[in-house]
Amino acid sequence: MNSFTYLSTVTSRVSTEQEHVPDHSKDDLAQQLNDEMTRAVLPVTFFVGIEVFAAFFGNLLVIYVFLIRYHVCNFRYFVLCLAFTDITSSLTTMPGEMVTQLYWHVYPVPEVCKIKSFFNVFTVSAEALCLLTIDVDRYMKVCRPLGWQMKPKHAKYVCGIIYVIAFILAVPVYFFWGTHANEKIYKNTTVTVTICEKDEEWLKTNHPLQYSVTVVVIISLCLVLMFVLYVFVARRLLMNKRFRTYTSEQRSSKTSSSIETSPDPIEINSTPDVSESDFSRREDRKSSNLNVQDCDRNIAGNAGRPESRESTLSGVSVDDDQDPREKRNKISTHHSNPRHSGSHDMASRVRRKTLIMFILTVVFIITTILYLTLLSFIARSILDTMSDSSKAVYFFFFRLYFIKHVIYPIIYGVFDQTSYEKF
């Protein structure tokens, strides 16, 4: 018997054996295949479960603090927008992904797959749009402090619009995604598996792929815009810091020289026409105009309005970033101690909140890029060539995308401690 005849005989024998495998045995093999996958990623499933717990209660605390006890400002509404998005993900997408890992090859309920996939796109789209809006708001406050600023009522409406746009973007997912049957070779037997991916009705069309590419492009554009805006913000904050240092040194040197040359001791407010408070206010206005000059050359009209000047301190707009009660305290302090009018504290507050939003943006960009990259590998069927340990490592980094829902509440507590002091 030659080699060709031998191979033909073996192939026909295997085919005959597969034809005579009962359907219930094939179902058992599919279940065994699924069990192997479940055991391989079981540590990751537990990890996602911990993320669900931490994300839910962390964002629940954030919602309570910022909804009930925090003062009205843009920062409050944007944090609430992110918190509601994160808690929605912890109740839908994250548990749904745990179900997917438990029933990777024998997905039981198509509706669960559709709902999980819908909220996956909805939450990531809402989060991207919300962070982009935050970055625009920070850019306006830091780089264009005398221009038009978003007010709290605008921020509230914008958050509603973000949810509407995210919902519209996610609607096609409910139709394109679902479960479909697929054949795999397992133990020399062709078994039919049911996976949560494209819906059976749209499996042989290009519409799901075209839709996925569109969503990825939109999110990628948001990521690029976030990065560009914060480059300008960081540059402006660095310039403001240098200018404040220079101004402080100039004032110190003038004060020292005046004390040395003056024959009599200088008393504060000794001159009735020009008070030290007026001097400080004029210096702050002068500092504001110089800081904004390079960033916005079209603010002549705004700069002439007294209210525009009063709302700007050291090149940073602070209209909505401070608790009204604290503003009244600052006014009292300003009259009692002019040199410590609170301008530095308010500017520091804006810089701190800008830092918070910058960290949130960086975390989102890193986790999203990681998620999209690993998702593209699944589309290439890379899991079929991986060992169990490799699958566990792969899914750990793949599900690390959800860690941002846990990190956000921690960032609020660390960098904005006044929010949790209100708790």
Side-chain angles (χ1 to χ4, degrees):
M1 181 183 299
N2 56 34
S3 59
F4 177 77
T5 306
Y6 175 77
L7 290 175
S8 300
T9 303
V10 172
T11 304
S12 62
R13 184 183 303 169
V14 172
S15 301
T16 304
E17 291 176 355
Q18 290 185 6
E19 290 175 359
H20 288 86
V21 174
D23 291 338
H24 66 85
S25 297
K26 290 185 178 181
D27 293 340
D28 292 340
L29 289 175
Q31 187 62 50
Q32 291 179 21
L33 178 63
N34 184 78
D35 291 342
E36 291 181 0
M37 179 67 177
T38 301
R39 286 192 297 270
V41 299
L42 190 59
V44 182
T45 305
F46 279 116
F47 175 70
V48 176
I50 295 173
E51 287 181 317
V52 170
F53 180 84
F56 176 79
F57 287 102
N59 285 283
L60 193 63
L61 177 61
V62 170
I63 291 173
Y64 170 76
V65 171
F66 282 85
L67 185 62
I68 305 299
R69 308 184 69 88
Y70 208 83
H71 65 278
V72 174
C73 63
N74 291 2
F75 182 73
R76 176 202 187 203
Y77 289 118
F78 292 141
V79 169
L80 286 174
C81 181
L82 289 173
F84 278 116
T85 302
D86 291 341
I87 206 168
T88 300
S89 180
S90 69
L91 293 174
T92 56
T93 306
M94 297 169 72
E97 294 296 353
M98 293 177 66
V99 173
T100 301
Q101 291 182 182
L102 292 174
Y103 301 98
W104 189 269
H105 294 296
V106 289
Y107 207 90
V109 184
E111 287 72 19
V112 174
C113 176
K114 288 179 175 292
I115 293 173
K116 181 264 297 186
S117 302
F118 169 83
F119 279 104
N120 190 18
V121 176
F122 172 79
T123 53
V124 70
S125 301
E127 199 164 0
L129 293 173
C130 185
L131 285 171
L132 179 60
T133 305
I134 290 171
D135 296 347
V136 172
D137 180 64
R138 291 292 110 183
Y139 172 81
M140 296 299 295
K141 278 182 167 54
V142 175
C143 288
R144 298 179 180 269
L146 298 184
W148 180 87
Q149 298 293 328
M150 187 183 301
K151 302 299 181 182
K153 64 178 182 180
H154 300 146
K156 182 168 58 176
Y157 295 145
V158 167
C159 290
I161 294 172
I162 286 172
Y163 284 134
V164 171
I165 295 175
F167 179 85
I168 294 173
L169 282 176
V171 164
V173 175
Y174 192 82
F175 301 98
F176 292 152
W177 262 249
T179 59
H180 70 265
N182 193 15
E183 291 187 345
K184 296 181 70 68
I185 302 296
Y186 179 69
K187 294 184 177 180
N188 296 326
T189 303
T190 303
V191 296
T192 302
V193 297
T194 304
I195 60 177
C196 173
E197 199 183 57
K198 298 178 185 177
D199 191 78
E200 193 77 44
E201 182 179 353
W202 301 92
L203 184 60
K204 297 181 180 180
T205 67
N206 291 326
H207 299 303
L209 177 61
Q210 294 170 353
Y211 167 77
S212 299
V213 171
T214 302
V215 173
V216 170
V217 169
I218 293 174
I219 295 175
S220 300
L221 287 176
C222 290
L223 298 180
V224 172
L225 289 174
M226 291 176 198
F227 178 79
V228 171
L229 287 172
Y230 264 111
V231 167
F232 286 109
V233 169
R235 177 175 175 271
R236 175 52 51 190
L237 288 177
L238 182 61
M239 293 174 63
N240 288 347
K241 182 177 180 180
R242 291 176 178 174
F243 181 82
R244 284 192 302 271
T245 303
Y246 173 77
T247 305
S248 177
E249 292 175 352
Q250 290 293 104
R251 289 179 180 177
S252 299
S253 62
K254 288 181 180 179
T255 303
S256 300
S257 61
S258 63
I259 292 176
E260 292 175 357
T261 58
S262 176
D264 299 320
I266 297 177
E267 296 182 1
I268 297 177
N269 292 336
S270 59
T271 306
D273 294 336
V274 181
S275 68
E276 187 177 4
S277 176
D278 294 333
F279 174 79
S280 299
R281 191 177 293 114
R282 277 200 293 270
E283 286 297 318
D284 284 334
R285 292 176 184 174
K286 190 183 299 181
S287 171
S288 173
N289 291 336
L290 289 173
N291 282 334
V292 176
Q293 185 176 6
D294 291 335
C295 192
D296 186 5
R297 300 183 181 276
N298 299 317
I299 59 174
N302 290 332
R305 297 200 302 267
E307 61 271 18
S308 296
R309 297 184 180 216
E310 292 295 334
S311 66
T312 308
L313 299 168
S314 301
V316 180
S317 176
V318 293
D319 285 343
D320 65 278
D321 279 314
Q322 191 172 16
D323 193 328
R325 291 169 294 184
E326 295 180 359
K327 285 183 180 181
R328 290 194 292 269
N329 293 336
K330 291 298 182 182
I331 292 174
S332 303
T333 306
H334 175 80
H335 290 293
S336 62
N337 192 358
R339 285 194 181 277
H340 297 85
S341 62
S343 62
H344 175 72
D345 292 340
M346 287 187 286
S348 298
R349 185 186 300 274
V350 175
R351 289 194 296 271
R352 184 173 65 250
K353 291 183 178 180
T354 301
L355 176 62
I356 293 173
M357 295 309 180
F358 172 73
I359 296 174
L360 298 183
T361 302
V362 170
V363 171
F364 178 79
I365 290 175
I366 293 175
T367 55
T368 302
I369 291 176
L370 179 64
Y371 177 78
L372 294 177
T373 302
L374 295 179
L375 186 64
S376 65
F377 292 153
I378 290 183
R380 301 172 187 173
S381 302
I382 194 174
L383 295 178
D384 295 337
T385 61
M386 285 185 175
S387 62
D388 289 349
S389 58
S390 299
K391 289 178 182 177
V393 174
Y394 175 87
F395 273 94
F396 172 79
F397 287 101
F398 187 55
R399 302 308 184 194
L400 201 60
Y401 167 74
F402 295 126
I403 197 68
K404 66 185 190 309
H405 302 313
V406 180
I407 293 178
Y408 289 174
I410 297 175
I411 293 174
Y412 303 142
V414 171
F415 292 95
D416 189 26
Q417 296 180 359
T418 56
S419 62
Y420 286 98
E421 289 174 0
K422 296 176 183 292
F423 179 72

